[in-house]
Amino acid sequence: MAASIPTATRSFIKFIGSELWFSTGYRTPSKCLTRTLSTQSVASTDSEVTRPKRRAEKLSAAMKAFLKRAKEHESKINKYTEEYELGRKHLANMMGIHPDEMTQEHINEAIRYLLPSGLFDKGSRPQFKHPKDILPLNFDFPFDKAGRPYHYQYYTLLPNYHCIMSEAAWRMECLREEEVRIGSTGAPPQEEMKHLSEEYEWMDLRTFLNYFKSNHSEVVQVNEHNRFVILMTKLSKMRLREQDVAFLKQFGSPKTSEINVMDTEEIKKFYVNEQGRKFRTKNGYRKSAIAQVTVYAEGEGILEINGKGIEYFESQYAREQVLFPLVLTSSLNKVDVHARVEGGGEMGQSGAIRHGLSNALLPFVSQQMVNKLSLSGLLDRDSRVKERNKPGQKKARKQFQWRAR
Amino acid sequence: GACIPSLSQQKTYKTDIKAKVVNPRPLTVTRIYEKKVILKNAEAAAALAKEEELSDKKEKINVYKSFHRDIAEDNALKNPDFFKVKEMVDLHTLFKNRVHFGHHHGCRHPFVVPFLYGVRQNTDIFDLDKTLPRLHNALNFIAHMVYRGGVVLFVSRNAQTMPLVEYTAQKCGEYSHCRFWKGGLLTNIDYLYKNLTRYPDVVVFIHTQNNFSHEHAAITECAKMLIPTVGIVDSNCNPTLVTYPVPGNDDSLDAVKLYCKLFEETILRAKEYRKRDIEELSDDSDES
């Protein structure tokens, strides 16, 4: 057997072991219970055991080690604060300011002047701050006197991250059970349950990493962030109670703010007719076709191309190209279009009209639609042109017949 | 009716025959005393004595050195069922919660064979007459450890039951680790944790296997660090390194709910008793 085992556990083993000794057909190797790292001499253990009364409370070794480290940390901080305050007074004297009126901005400016550095990394440039801002302050003692940790997931190395994830998973389980109960019995729900009206946006990678580093001093990886986003989106798509919505709002917010791709004043420019009608003309280009398109707002749906209607184009594809921007913005019968086209062929002319039309529609359409149009690519000039012929080849890509010799 | 095992199965099955103890010896624990080396040379002996004196004075970082007993354990050990564990579980409740179902007989682990009653429709069936006393022993052991202020760690790597297990651990005031087990968590503890941490005193496995149906890495680590383990062993699991194996089903939700409920009950009961007994002692004994 291993090292010395106190008598209380010895009697415990005897009691338990006797039951198991004869009941099992085989024996497992790890029947030795409890473990002691100590190599205490015999005399000390005997003296402990003979006294059944309670001894004075002793601190655990973990607590002792922490107190030692905390004292060292404190002494360090005290030393650095003394140096800092001395230096601060000298700096104030040099600058000609009273030390009480000196702020951190003054100090930063002074340091940049006195100790200029060309280093790119701002963290490695010389700083002059209070040691509390520089040295790590999170010196929490995560367990009590007996050595028992406070957090129930301390033994996973990222307790707070896993606590959040397990809480979300537990909420999902509860909600699923509720749904099953409601569906099977037809009873009303115990609390009000609603779907979320808006789609939620979750924490950025950077904010996520900073959240755990600054609050709990835990180093989290990108994988953890991905899993977090997946779990939260799953939870947000269920029918939620009020407490679940409050839980989710800690980590995300509804997607209200849109990225405005084009927000310049030029887009919103339009002119006014003699008759008081708003209009805008824009040129459209495709291959060698040039089109001038004017769009009149508050119209009936008139479409004119070189004096003719949509019948100017014979093929269905060309007609669709012209009508597509109007269909997207749902302004078929709200807008009048007059277009003049020259050059190119059928397809080129239709593409040019499309280009001009979508650029001319912008002031008469919402910002959301402007973003959509720009992202779809309708506002870009299609730069594809016929590829030139190359010498030694028949056409742009076609080559002469291969000969063996 | 139960299906009759075939001839091949008859050979492999071993019934629970009581072993004939030829030379009965009581279960004693031997202590390893420090060897006293008798040296002829007096100088060498004096040098050794000096070293021993110095080594006693040096502070050895030892988590259990100052382990103080705040409860008189003799009272708890007199009664075989001090925590009334046998009232918690019945054979009928085990059957009702489908604890007797194992896996397909092709998945059977050879060391689980003694715990099996038979096979029915290609599924192994556990012998509940063997699981029940083992379950009682396991619960009793956990209760005793918690009574003395021990740290219990719940381990499981099943995604379906993970929230349940973590919730029970939180409720009891104990600890859980149902995530990816980083190698060396217990064997290389000083490297992974910033602070000097306390080892768990009991590790309870609700699923002894991990995601890839291999043995969980924590079982070998606990065996190496001599941490006693309680584990629910299914018919495809290896029970050898678990100190208190409880053969039973770990796949059905009902069974896992039952286990969680039982562990929670025992732990809370043991903590109640601890609170009560500490208070009683503090009134009686003189503070030394």
Side-chain angles (χ1 to χ4, degrees):
Chain A
M1 286 285 196
S4 59
I5 297 169
T7 51
T9 46
R10 189 209 287 171
S11 55
F12 181 62
I13 289 162
K14 218 196 248 177
F15 168 73
I16 295 287
S18 58
E19 278 193 20
L20 295 173
W21 187 265
F22 296 112
S23 59
T24 56
Y26 65 99
R27 265 173 268 145
T28 56
S30 61
K31 274 281 153 76
C32 39
L33 297 165
T34 68
R35 70 181 258 285
T36 53
L37 296 174
S38 63
T39 51
Q40 284 174 355
S41 54
V42 175
S44 60
T45 50
D46 282 342
S47 62
E48 281 171 20
V49 164
T50 48
R51 269 187 277 147
K53 284 184 187 171
R54 241 173 94 181
R55 286 184 288 135
E57 255 189 54
K58 274 194 185 177
L59 296 171
S60 67
M63 185 78 188
K64 272 189 202 166
F66 170 74
L67 286 172
K68 207 180 173 187
R69 246 185 264 173
K71 271 184 195 170
E72 286 172 11
H73 189 75
E74 255 190 69
S75 63
K76 234 200 242 179
I77 279 177
N78 287 334
K79 216 208 297 178
Y80 290 143
T81 45
E82 279 174 27
E83 287 175 11
Y84 171 76
E85 307 235 299
L86 243 191
R88 204 159 176 271
K89 283 175 190 169
H90 281 303
L91 233 192
N93 198 14
M94 279 200 278
M95 290 172 80
I97 307 170
H98 198 64
D100 294 340
E101 292 167 13
M102 198 163 76
T103 61
Q104 191 61 42
E105 286 173 6
H106 286 128
I107 294 168
N108 290 341
E109 268 188 59
I111 295 274
R112 260 180 265 148
Y113 176 72
L114 294 167
L115 307 164
S117 84
L119 296 169
F120 293 118
D121 188 10
K122 287 185 184 176
S124 46
R125 288 180 196 167
Q127 298 175 43
F128 192 61
K129 286 182 186 171
H130 201 277
K132 279 184 188 174
D133 297 331
I134 295 168
L135 290 177
L137 229 199
N138 286 339
F139 209 71
D140 299 325
F141 195 46
F143 29 82
D144 59 7
K145 274 192 227 174
R148 292 178 67 95
Y150 288 127
H151 204 283
Y152 78 105
Q153 289 194 5
Y154 175 78
Y155 289 103
T156 65
L157 297 161
L158 308 168
N160 287 290
Y161 165 73
H162 287 130
C163 183
I164 288 162
M165 299 289 274
S166 60
E167 201 184 328
W170 179 249
R171 282 173 191 277
M172 271 175 84
E173 286 273 323
C174 291
L175 291 169
R176 267 185 216 144
E177 275 178 31
E178 275 277 311
E179 298 278 355
V180 163
R181 196 182 62 87
I182 290 160
S184 61
T185 58
Q190 285 166 356
E191 293 173 32
E192 275 184 45
M193 311 229 302
K194 276 188 209 168
H195 281 287
L196 280 177
S197 54
E198 292 151 329
E199 231 190 281
Y200 268 57
E201 219 178 19
W202 307 110
M203 271 211 263
D204 232 24
L205 219 196
R206 257 195 201 175
T207 47
F208 188 74
L209 300 181
N210 277 331
Y211 175 81
F212 286 105
K213 208 175 183 185
S214 56
N215 293 343
H216 310 297
S217 66
E218 282 171 34
V219 177
V220 186
Q221 304 292 338
V222 179
N223 280 335
E224 270 94 56
H225 178 251
N226 292 336
R227 271 184 232 144
F228 165 80
V229 166
I230 288 161
L231 218 200
M232 292 297 164
T233 47
K234 256 195 197 177
L235 222 201
S236 63
K237 291 190 175 161
M238 301 174 79
R239 276 210 297 179
L240 299 172
R241 308 166 286 190
E242 282 177 20
Q243 47 175 299
D244 300 327
V245 174
F247 172 72
L248 283 174
K249 279 189 174 171
Q250 292 172 22
F251 310 110
S253 56
K255 265 185 190 173
T256 49
S257 59
E258 284 179 16
I259 303 160
N260 288 335
V261 179
M262 301 177 80
D263 202 6
T264 55
E265 286 180 9
E266 287 179 23
I267 289 161
K268 291 165 189 170
K269 255 192 201 171
F270 60 86
Y271 297 98
V272 184
N273 213 350
E274 287 165 354
Q275 289 134 26
R277 282 194 77 188
K278 300 176 196 168
F279 73 96
R280 178 171 155 115
T281 54
K282 274 281 168 182
N283 283 359
Y285 306 92
R286 179 82 222 270
K287 280 193 192 176
S288 54
I290 302 169
Q292 279 177 2
V293 183
T294 60
V295 170
Y296 292 92
E298 297 154 4
E300 293 168 349
I302 297 159
L303 209 156
E304 196 203 319
I305 302 168
N306 280 0
K308 297 178 191 173
I310 198 86
E311 296 146 0
Y312 179 80
F313 292 116
E314 285 174 11
S315 68
Q316 191 199 353
Y317 187 79
R319 290 180 186 181
E320 273 180 22
Q321 290 289 298
V322 168
L323 294 171
F324 179 61
L326 296 170
V327 167
L328 230 196
T329 54
S330 62
S331 55
L332 265 173
N333 293 327
K334 298 172 190 171
V335 146
D336 289 343
V337 181
H338 295 265
R340 222 175 69 179
V341 190
E342 278 175 2
E346 196 178 8
M347 291 294 146
Q349 282 181 350
S350 64
I353 287 166
R354 190 186 86 173
H355 182 227
L357 219 192
S358 40
N359 274 313
L361 270 174
L362 293 174
F364 311 119
V365 141
S366 66
Q367 188 62 38
Q368 225 184 26
M369 210 31 84
V370 168
N371 293 335
K372 259 195 184 179
L373 285 171
S374 70
L375 289 169
S376 65
L378 285 166
L379 306 176
D380 299 328
R381 198 260 192 241
D382 201 344
S383 60
R384 290 179 293 174
V385 171
K386 191 167 176 180
E387 203 174 317
R388 64 156 271 199
N389 300 353
K390 281 116 195 176
Q393 290 174 8
K394 271 214 160 179
K395 294 160 70 177
R397 298 287 171 101
K398 186 172 182 180
Q399 283 157 12
F400 295 124
Q401 191 172 8
W402 178 80
R403 288 187 203 96
R405 33 191 91 71
Chain B
C3 97
I4 299 157
S6 63
L7 275 171
S8 60
Q9 284 171 354
Q10 264 175 358
K11 284 178 191 172
T12 52
Y13 276 133
K14 294 175 192 172
T15 52
D16 201 19
I17 300 161
K18 283 193 176 178
K20 290 182 189 174
V21 185
V22 175
N23 295 321
R25 273 181 288 172
L27 179 64
T28 54
V29 172
T30 56
R31 292 179 183 175
I32 294 168
Y33 296 96
E34 289 179 9
K35 285 187 187 174
K36 291 188 177 177
V37 179
I38 300 160
L39 297 172
K40 290 181 183 175
N41 202 351
E43 290 174 3
L48 243 189
K50 268 191 185 176
E51 274 182 33
E52 279 174 11
E53 277 178 22
L54 286 169
S55 65
D56 287 336
K57 281 176 190 172
K58 272 186 210 168
E59 279 184 18
K60 293 174 192 169
I61 292 168
N62 185 338
V63 181
Y64 293 95
K65 192 175 181 183
S66 57
F67 175 69
H68 60 278
R69 284 175 201 84
D70 42 15
I71 290 178
E73 297 142 353
D74 303 330
N75 293 330
L77 293 172
K78 276 175 189 169
N79 189 352
D81 199 8
F82 184 67
F83 298 99
K84 293 167 192 166
V85 153
K86 296 193 178 175
E87 295 167 6
M88 282 190 216
V89 199
D90 228 11
L91 203 144
H92 187 65
T93 49
L94 290 181
F95 184 79
K96 226 166 110 181
N97 286 297
R98 308 164 200 210
V99 166
H100 56 289
F101 287 121
H103 286 270
H104 194 273
H105 65 76
C107 308
R108 187 190 305 152
H109 197 280
F111 294 148
V112 174
V113 161
F115 300 127
L116 296 173
Y117 181 78
V119 181
R120 177 153 174 82
Q121 291 176 348
N122 293 328
T123 49
D124 287 337
I125 307 290
F126 284 105
D127 191 353
L128 294 177
D129 292 327
K130 294 177 192 170
T131 57
L132 190 64
R134 282 175 175 73
L135 185 58
H136 286 149
N137 283 333
L139 294 172
N140 189 27
F141 174 72
I142 289 166
H144 274 277
M145 294 298 272
V146 172
Y147 185 64
R148 292 159 180 71
V151 166
V152 180
L153 183 67
F154 287 89
V155 174
S156 136
R157 195 75 174 106
N158 188 338
Q160 195 194 15
T161 54
M162 185 267 285
L164 216 201
V165 171
E166 296 197 321
Y167 186 68
T168 50
Q170 198 181 14
K171 241 183 174 181
C172 303
E174 299 296 338
Y175 308 91
S176 74
H177 191 295
C178 301
R179 307 282 171 172
F180 176 72
W181 182 272
K182 211 165 180 182
L185 245 181
L186 298 175
T187 51
N188 202 3
I189 202 164
D190 291 333
Y191 180 74
L192 289 170
Y193 291 98
K194 284 186 244 174
N195 299 306
L196 189 77
T197 54
R198 177 175 160 174
Y199 292 92
D201 299 311
V202 192
V203 176
V204 178
F205 288 92
I206 291 172
H207 296 88
T208 48
Q209 292 197 326
N210 63 15
N211 283 351
F212 301 99
S213 59
H214 285 290
E215 205 182 47
H216 201 286
I219 290 170
T220 49
E221 292 206 10
C222 291
K224 283 182 188 179
M225 306 309 292
L226 297 176
I227 296 167
T229 55
V230 171
I232 286 148
V233 168
D234 207 348
S235 65
N236 59 350
C237 302
N238 187 357
T240 47
L241 284 175
V242 182
T243 43
Y244 288 94
V246 177
N249 191 4
D250 66 4
D251 291 306
S252 96
L253 244 187
D254 287 337
V256 173
K257 276 183 184 172
L258 174 71
Y259 300 136
C260 289
K261 192 183 119 191
L262 291 171
F263 290 133
E264 188 193 319
E265 230 184 293
T266 50
I267 287 166
L268 292 172
R269 195 179 284 187
K271 286 190 171 173
E272 266 179 54
Y273 282 40
R274 181 183 160 81
K275 219 179 174 183
R276 180 193 71 188
D277 292 348
I278 276 176
E279 283 167 4
E280 282 178 15
L281 271 180
S282 65
D283 294 332
D284 296 323
S285 69
D286 302 321
E287 288 182 18
S288 55

